[in-house]
Amino acid sequence: MGHDDFATEPVPGLPERPPKDEAILWQGRPDPWALARDALLIRPVAAYFAVLALWRGIVAGDEGGFVAGLAGASWYVAIGVVACGLLYAVAWAQARASLYTITNKRVAMRVGAALTVTFNLPYSQIETAGLALAKDGTGSIALKLKGANTVSYLILWPHVRPWRIAKTEPTLRAIPDAANVARILAEAAESRLSMPVVTAKQGARAGAATAFAAE
């Protein structure tokens, strides 16, 4: 019998059932290959070992002939295959454990293959969102948070914008059909932030003027 690590979630990707006025607009997870390519840099690693294998093959071939060159190169090829296999395994595990959710009120990120945590990011705490799009349609949406709002780079990795360590930017990483997801996010945030919220001023008498502010 299979075991579901997230069977305790009342709604997949969310730590608790959302309120009745909150609607889920989109859910998705990283594409494993795109995550390995963009976050774990599997292609530069493969190229590095390919160059090493070529160099070692040439050197060994000059010293001992074709067979020696082939043997020398094959060792580095084998190491490169193992290294790339491990990187892809990490990407696959991260993609399987992760689930991104966009609702009409927030962005939720359930992440972590070893230690699973869920980050809730209301639109009122998001300053900007930036889309990085790949040729195959996958892409990443980085969320720049307002003010002093911050999250741990190490806990959130690889679901972060690279090298934004002091001011971490949570990122929906390597998602398929990223342009469409970015559109859904933009429309939801615009709609949410344009909704006026009526709050009574502190100390105001009943029937007095009220303040309007975007949530």
Side-chain angles (χ1 to χ4, degrees), residues 13-199:
L14 299 178
E16 58 186 17
R17 193 171 299 279
K20 292 183 178 180
D21 62 342
E22 183 174 14
I24 295 176
L25 306 177
W26 174 87
Q27 282 191 313
R29 49 174 42 94
D31 175 84
W33 165 248
L35 189 64
R37 179 195 65 204
D38 299 338
L40 302 182
L41 305 179
I42 193 171
R43 289 194 295 193
V45 171
Y48 171 76
F49 281 103
V51 170
L52 283 181
L54 179 62
W55 168 78
R56 185 56 188 167
I58 292 174
V59 171
D62 287 342
E63 296 175 352
F66 175 77
V67 175
L70 185 61
S74 62
W75 174 249
Y76 287 95
V77 170
I79 296 176
V81 169
V82 171
C84 291
L86 290 175
L87 289 176
Y88 184 82
V90 171
W92 180 87
Q94 286 286 348
R96 178 182 179 277
S98 303
L99 187 60
Y100 306 138
T101 303
I102 296 176
T103 78
N104 58 330
K105 290 187 175 183
R106 57 177 164 161
V107 176
M109 302 173 64
R110 184 246 277 158
V111 299
L115 176 62
T116 303
V117 294
T118 301
F119 293 90
N120 289 300
L121 306 172
Y123 293 126
S124 59
Q125 295 181 10
I126 299 174
E127 182 176 327
T128 59
L131 171 64
L133 195 62
K135 292 181 179 180
D136 62 358
T138 61
S140 298
I141 304 174
L143 307 175
K144 183 178 180 181
L145 304 182
K146 293 181 179 179
N149 292 315
T150 187
V151 293
S152 170
Y153 189 95
L154 292 178
I155 293 178
L156 198 54
W157 185 91
H159 312 274
V160 291
R161 185 177 179 183
W163 310 117
R164 296 299 196 276
I165 298 176
K167 184 66 174 176
T168 304
E169 296 185 18
T171 302
L172 309 185
R173 202 75 190 267
I175 51 177
D177 197 16
N180 183 54
V181 177
R183 178 189 59 80
I184 293 172
L185 174 61
E187 291 177 355
E190 182 179 3
S191 176
R192 181 64 181 173
L193 295 177
S194 65
M195 293 177 60
V197 176
V198 182
T199 57

